[in-house]
Amino acid sequence: MEPTTVITGFVALYIFMLAAFTGYEIIGRVPAILHTPLMSGSNFVHGIVVVGAMYALLNATTVLEQAIGFFGVLLGAGNAAGGYVVTERMLEMFKPSDKKKS
Amino acid sequence: MSPQLLIDISALLASFLFIYGLKRMSSPVTARSGIVVAGWGMAIATLAAFLYYFGVSEAAKPHLTVNTALAVIALTVGVSWAWWSGKKVAMTSMPQMVALYNGMGGGAAAAIGAVELLKTGGHHGPLPLVVTIIGSLIGAISLAGSLIAWAKLDGRINGTWRIKGQQLLNGTVFLATLALGLVIVFGYHGHAPAALTGLFFALALVFGVLMTMPIGGADMPVVISLYNAFTGLAVGFEGYVLQNPALMIAGMVVGSAGTLLTLLMAKAMNRSVANVIFSNFGPSSDEVQGEIKGSQKPAEAGDAAINMRYASKVIIAPGYGLAVAQAQHKLFEFVKLLTDAGVEVKFAIHPVAGRMPGHMNVLLAEAGVPYDMIYDMEDVNGEFKEADVAIVIGANDTVNPAARTNKSSPIYGMPILNVDQAKQVYVVKRGQGKGYSGVENELFFADNCNLVYGDAQKVMVAMIQAVKSLDGGH
């Protein structure tokens, strides 16, 4: 089954352009204290690569492809889960101070 | 509903939740809910990825059961290991963990590229192939580079590795990798032998190592942030190859956000990104420094504490050494004693205190220090001249006046905390070592500076006891 969405060169460029502006806008006005959590948070977000790795693994036809696909899913899952836990732990610490402020 | 439609909807939902989550993460008030929102996006997208089961190519159908089992095993092992390691890692080691997880993401993107390149049956045009190659290259560099960054910050690799003609070597390896990539695309039209594809990835990994090895530890935060952006780009490119908009959007958002973050961090250290990567803190800095006048004068922790107890204004400049010694809780206990006695206490945070911008804020927040005591460098730097005591704990390069005056110093031009302008400066440090950049600190030889030697935590305990016994005697 071919994907229903066919993203051609120019559509891809539009998506990339708009996504790049989005990323720029999100980080642009952030206080310095949130830089580390945000780096960690964006590190988590690119853990979505695990989805692509799963596609590659499920479509693997040779042992070599299976091995590389397995490796990819393993690493991608680590990226996503580790990124989440670390970011959550960092942001956890902002809780009490926020209550004092509000 | 067809499985593909469900996958498409989940990808749309995930993209929305990622962007909305990141937006919430960009304000301290909503930050915590932001990661949870983004987390849901990830969970939905990952579960939906199992629906690829119903749409695999004819050639892959005989392997489907094995492949699915492998996917479940890889997910379970990857998630459990990362969850466990992320939970147990100390707050001080956070930067290298981020580097490690980031490298894994880059590796996953490279793996996708590898599988695509190995598929001999595919009918790829030149554009998707070029994008696959670029994504693989960036992903592999990010993997190797992040692992070196992790090993350096974790103390597994010490020092820097430099040889003559290193930049020539790096350039050659990079061009060779690129040339090989072009051969795979235009020479073999994506049907290159596996050995050649393997060589391409090996060269890319070697380049990642070569590029990172000469970079000094003080520059690592910038490098990690750069590789974070790299991984984002790699994921975005591989997302295009797989025709998956969620990967494209998430990858490119991180790619641009990470690039901006890298520039902000480099700016805070008054260095350009190119400067960080191509010319590094020189090992020969000692020779050009010239002699430093004066001598280092030691002081007792108790005396310093009592001096601060009777001061009216104290500014604290914490550094990574404070966190390494796990002394932030004791420090805050001491600060509470001072404020109870009517002393005005402020924390002054250098933009690169700790190992990443904002890292020190996280560490102080962990110890319960309230926000209104913590000041950014620009806001507090003018107040040092009015301060009776400035106390430097585990910081070095960020308070070195040579950055202001000594043009030959490798850290010249970096903005610093003006602790030397306080009437009295105490520096708590373990021994007579140099800072992370390997530069001698003129501050320690200044007339108004005394050094309190010892482990930061033990020094803080001694200071607390000194103040307590004093107030108990009244």
Side-chain angles (χ1 to χ4, degrees):
Chain A
M1 178 175 61
E2 280 299 299
T4 50
T5 44
V6 178
I7 305 163
T8 55
F10 264 101
V11 179
L13 279 179
Y14 281 115
I15 293 178
F16 281 151
M17 183 185 73
L18 292 174
F21 271 113
T22 308
Y24 183 87
E25 281 300 312
I26 287 172
I27 294 281
R29 286 177 242 127
V30 169
I33 53 159
L34 279 172
H35 278 172
T36 294
L38 258 177
M39 190 212 282
S40 177
S42 59
N43 178 42
F44 160 70
V45 165
H46 65 52
I48 186 72
V49 70
V50 71
V51 169
M54 279 180 69
Y55 177 84
L57 175 56
L58 288 178
N59 281 289
T61 50
T62 64
V63 175
L64 183 59
E65 284 174 22
Q66 283 175 328
I68 299 172
F70 179 81
F71 185 64
V73 174
L74 187 73
L75 292 183
N79 182 186
Y84 183 86
V85 172
V86 166
T87 311
E88 213 250 342
R89 277 185 59 193
M90 275 189 221
L91 293 174
E92 180 79 22
M93 290 163 193
F94 287 86
K95 217 167 41 175
S97 330
D98 290 338
K99 272 183 189 156
K100 266 175 221 159
K101 259 192 165 179
S102 57
Chain B
M1 262 201 274
S2 76
Q4 185 61 45
L5 184 61
L6 277 175
I7 292 174
D8 287 342
I9 293 173
S10 76
L12 180 66
L13 202 57
S15 305
F16 168 75
L17 291 174
F18 285 156
I19 295 173
Y20 182 59
L22 275 176
K23 185 70 208 158
R24 287 188 78 82
M25 268 186 254
S26 63
S27 153
V29 187
T30 55
R32 257 202 93 243
S33 64
I35 184 66
V36 178
V37 167
W40 277 111
M42 191 68 76
I44 290 168
T46 310
L47 285 179
F50 277 103
L51 293 172
Y52 284 132
Y53 182 90
F54 300 104
V56 296
S57 63
E58 281 304 320
K61 275 199 178 136
H63 307 281
L64 201 48
T65 317
V66 179
N67 288 353
T68 311
L70 284 175
V72 172
I73 294 169
L75 268 182
T76 314
V77 174
V79 167
S80 350
W81 172 81
W83 201 272
W84 169 79
S85 63
K87 281 278 180 208
K88 86 173 172 94
V89 65
M91 268 298 150
T92 43
S93 307
M94 241 15 144
Q96 53 261 47
M97 279 322 271
V98 172
L100 188 59
Y101 297 140
N102 176 57
M104 294 172 78
I112 295 174
V115 171
E116 284 300 307
L117 289 172
L118 287 171
K119 278 208 187 308
T120 45
H123 298 286
H124 286 305
L127 182 63
L129 270 177
V130 169
V131 177
T132 310
I133 286 283
I134 297 175
S136 305
L137 177 62
I138 302 175
I141 292 173
S142 177
L143 168 64
S146 296
L147 283 179
I148 298 293
W150 165 77
K152 282 197 169 198
L153 283 177
D154 216 40
R156 282 159 209 265
I157 299 179
N158 288 317
T160 53
W161 177 81
R162 294 194 184 96
I163 53 165
K164 260 206 161 96
Q166 190 153 32
Q167 294 188 4
L168 189 70
L169 174 69
N170 290 7
T172 313
V173 173
F174 181 72
L175 287 179
T177 318
L178 214 55
L180 195 53
L182 288 176
V183 168
I184 291 173
V185 175
F186 295 105
Y188 290 92
H189 302 287
H191 301 294
L196 205 61
T197 312
L199 183 64
F200 169 76
F201 279 97
L203 277 177
L205 290 172
V206 167
F207 177 73
V209 173
L210 286 177
M211 179 176 157
T212 321
M213 280 308 281
I215 301 175
D219 285 333
M220 265 322 145
V222 182
V223 176
I224 294 174
S225 180
L226 183 71
Y227 287 144
N228 186 37
F230 272 22
T231 303
L233 286 179
V235 171
F237 288 155
E238 299 303 344
Y240 167 71
V241 176
L242 298 180
Q243 295 280 297
N244 186 324
L247 263 72
M248 293 172 70
I249 292 172
M252 197 50 72
V253 165
V254 174
S256 93
T259 306
L260 184 61
L261 203 54
T262 310
L263 294 174
L264 287 174
M265 289 163 93
K267 205 174 130 206
M269 298 169 78
N270 196 34
R271 288 159 71 69
S272 72
V273 176
N275 203 308
V276 168
I277 294 169
F278 295 117
S279 70
N280 317 293
F281 284 153
S284 57
S285 54
D286 291 329
E287 306 157 20
V288 289
Q289 246 173 15
E291 84 270 34
I292 296 169
K293 291 189 188 80
S295 59
Q296 298 193 4
K297 300 167 288 297
E300 286 300 317
D303 296 342
I306 290 162
N307 198 349
M308 281 186 267
R309 160 71 176 76
Y310 288 105
S312 59
K313 183 166 185 171
V314 172
I315 302 180
I316 302 169
Y320 189 64
L322 172 79
V324 170
Q326 294 288 320
Q328 57 268 47
H329 293 91
K330 288 287 169 208
L331 172 64
F332 186 47
E333 201 181 326
F334 175 65
V335 167
K336 276 189 281 196
L337 286 176
L338 292 183
T339 48
D340 288 348
V343 183
E344 185 189 358
V345 183
K346 287 184 174 178
F347 285 87
I349 310 290
H350 189 274
V352 292
R355 284 289 180 267
M356 280 199 236
H359 189 203
M360 189 48 67
N361 302 69
V362 172
L363 295 170
L364 289 177
E366 186 191 16
V369 178
Y371 261 62
D372 44 19
M373 290 178 89
I374 303 176
Y375 292 82
D376 284 342
M377 180 178 70
E378 309 91 77
D379 300 328
V380 79
N381 242 356
E383 296 186 29
F384 278 105
K385 4 185 215 306
E386 302 148 24
D388 301 294
V389 179
I391 175 164
V392 178
I393 307 171
N396 193 335
D397 295 328
T398 54
V399 296
N400 190 345
R404 270 200 307 255
T405 53
N406 186 350
K407 280 205 174 117
S408 62
S409 173
I411 59 168
Y412 177 73
M414 182 172 91
I416 56 155
L417 292 167
N418 298 329
V419 288
D420 55 324
Q421 294 173 356
K423 291 190 191 80
Q424 169 69 48
V425 183
Y426 290 113
V427 177
V428 179
K429 69 198 296 279
R430 255 176 320 181
Q432 303 190 331
K434 294 170 185 172
Y436 213 46
S437 68
V439 181
E440 195 72 69
N441 197 333
E442 291 175 13
L443 172 72
F444 303 160
F445 299 88
D447 289 336
N448 62 341
C449 179
N450 290 85
L451 289 103
V452 183
Y453 290 115
D455 173 76
Q457 186 158 355
K458 292 199 182 101
V459 169
M460 291 331 295
V461 171
M463 286 186 170
I464 292 167
Q465 276 166 355
V467 172
K468 272 195 178 151
S469 64
L470 191 70
D471 289 340
H474 275 272

